[in-house]
């Protein structure tokens, strides 16, 4: 199971379509970073709308990916965080760093455009 | 107690299986979507701890009926190295595995009740409960 990464202009769109194991998340992180390098992308849009659990490990991978992308010159926008995920994220004590957040992919694309 | 299910944790994919089972049981019991998420996330943290520190163990999910209220009990049991200092393990940001150190204290915040029994060299048992409002 791999995470599809679609190039759209200067941006990469990643739609997480299934619940991920820890290994899959780390693999997706590596793949995203290689694609940034290959495509010289300036923005990442990660759609998490079908994800219904973000635990401390997944939260860390997400933050790390955004930080690494930023080191490579790309901004990260996360779209579609579910209400329950937002609540548990806070209660777990996790923090979102280096990440823009939007409600859906459409808003994400607009935001990426305004960042260019 | 009317129902129980046991999930063996021995590989990484079992973490996902355990939290999916937990969510589906919570949903059937009538927990809100947000509570389902709390329960699934808590199970995920507990199952990962088993996998990370003890390699293998069990997650048991039980339905509770007590004084006209219903709830869910999750028992995470392993025969791993145990937790030498529980107070330290319950501190936000403390980790011996290079993690975030949010797993145990975070899970406690997600649940209504949290108990931890651990003996060095003998294993760890963590019991959490969430009550249906």
């Amino acid at each position: 199971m791999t995470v599809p990464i679609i190039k759209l202009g200067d941006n990469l769109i990643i739609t997480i379509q299934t619940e991920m194991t820890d290994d899959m998340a780390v693999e997706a992180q590596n793949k995203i970073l290689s694609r940034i390098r290959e495509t010289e992308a300036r923005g990442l849009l990660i759609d998490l709308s079908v994800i219904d659990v973000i635990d401390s490990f997944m939260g860390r991978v997400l933050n790390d990916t955004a930080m690494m992308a930023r080191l490579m010159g790309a901004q990260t926008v996360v779209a579609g965080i579910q209400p329950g995920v937002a609540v548990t994220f806070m209660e777990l004590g996790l923090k979102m760093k280096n990440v823009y957040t939007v409600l859906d992919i459409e808003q994400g694309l607009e935001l990426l455009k305004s960042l260019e | 107690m009317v129902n129980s299910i046991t999930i063996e944790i021995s590989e990484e994919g079992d973490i996902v299986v355990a939290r999916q089972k937990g969510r589906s049981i919570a949903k059937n019991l009538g927990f809100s979507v947000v509570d389902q998420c709390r329960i699934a996330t808590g199970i995920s943290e507990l199952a990962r701890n088993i996998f990370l520190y003890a390699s293998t163990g069990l997650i048991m999910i039980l339905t509770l009926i007590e004084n006209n209220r219903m709830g869910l009990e999750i028992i995470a049991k392993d025969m791993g190295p145990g937790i030498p200092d529980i107070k330290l393990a319950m501190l936000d940001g403390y980790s011996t595995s290079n993690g975030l150190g949010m797993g145990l204290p975070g899970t406690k915040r997600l649940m209504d009740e949290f108990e931890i029994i651990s003996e060095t060299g003998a294993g760890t048992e963590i019991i959490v409960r969430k009550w249906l409002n």
Side-chain angles (χ1 to χ4, degrees):
Chain A
M1 183 66 73
T2 55
V3 174
I5 302 173
I6 298 158
K7 184 176 182 292
L8 193 67
D10 280 339
N11 302 312
L12 296 178
I13 320 289
I14 299 114
T15 304
I16 311 291
Q17 290 164 326
T18 174
E19 205 164 339
M20 292 204 289
T21 63
D22 297 358
D23 275 347
M24 280 167 69
V26 172
E27 196 192 313
Q29 179 183 76
N30 291 333
K31 205 175 150 195
I32 289 167
L33 298 179
S34 327
R35 289 286 284 159
I36 293 174
R37 176 79 191 228
E38 284 162 23
T39 62
E40 297 178 357
R42 304 301 308 273
L44 285 184
L45 174 55
I46 305 176
D47 176 28
L48 295 178
S49 55
V50 308
I51 293 297
D52 53 17
V53 170
I54 295 184
D55 61 12
S56 60
F57 183 85
M58 219 51 89
R60 179 169 69 153
V61 173
L62 190 62
N63 271 321
D64 287 356
T65 307
M67 181 67 183
M68 292 165 184
R70 197 170 165 189
L71 286 169
M72 295 175 69
Q75 302 290 340
T76 299
V77 179
V78 168
I81 298 244
Q82 293 181 13
V85 172
V87 171
T88 49
F89 198 92
M90 286 300 295
E91 287 178 355
L92 270 180
L94 305 179
K95 288 183 177 67
M96 199 70 107
K97 295 172 213 149
N98 305 302
V99 173
Y100 293 94
T101 49
V102 291
L103 216 50
D104 55 28
I105 287 192
E106 203 178 335
Q107 287 185 12
L109 289 172
E110 278 171 29
L111 178 62
L112 282 173
K113 210 170 183 181
S114 73
L115 292 174
E116 274 169 14
Chain B
M1 276 176 228
V2 292
N3 213 340
S4 88
I5 176 176
T6 301
I7 301 128
E8 270 181 54
I9 306 296
S10 60
E11 53 185 271
E12 208 195 61
D14 296 334
I15 301 170
V16 176
V17 173
R19 70 182 183 223
Q20 282 174 344
K21 285 252 160 57
R23 174 186 290 274
S24 117
I25 293 167
K27 190 180 177 184
N28 288 338
L29 273 179
F31 278 101
S32 69
V33 175
V34 174
D35 272 349
Q36 289 170 34
C37 192
R38 288 187 174 109
I39 289 163
T41 308
I43 292 173
S44 197
E45 299 292 346
L46 296 176
R48 179 173 296 100
N49 272 2
I50 290 175
F51 182 68
L52 220 57
Y53 295 101
S55 300
T56 59
L58 299 173
I59 294 278
M60 283 168 272
I61 305 170
L62 311 125
T63 308
L64 301 176
I65 301 175
E66 184 190 289
N67 303 327
N68 290 326
R69 61 175 184 168
M70 288 184 82
L72 210 59
E73 179 172 276
I74 296 130
I75 304 172
K77 199 172 167 54
D78 68 60
M79 313 256 281
I83 303 171
D85 191 333
I86 292 177
K87 260 190 190 161
L88 211 52
M90 291 307 295
L91 278 182
D92 273 328
Y94 178 81
S95 175
T96 56
S97 67
N98 200 23
L100 286 178
M102 292 316 224
L104 286 183
T107 303
K108 188 178 180 182
R109 284 190 290 269
L110 294 175
M111 297 294 162
D112 295 328
E113 292 170 32
F114 184 102
E115 290 166 41
I116 181 164
I117 306 152
S118 188
E119 202 181 318
T120 311
T124 302
E125 184 171 344
I126 298 173
I127 304 166
V128 299
R129 292 183 201 92
K130 190 85 186 165
W131 296 102
L132 200 56
N133 294 321

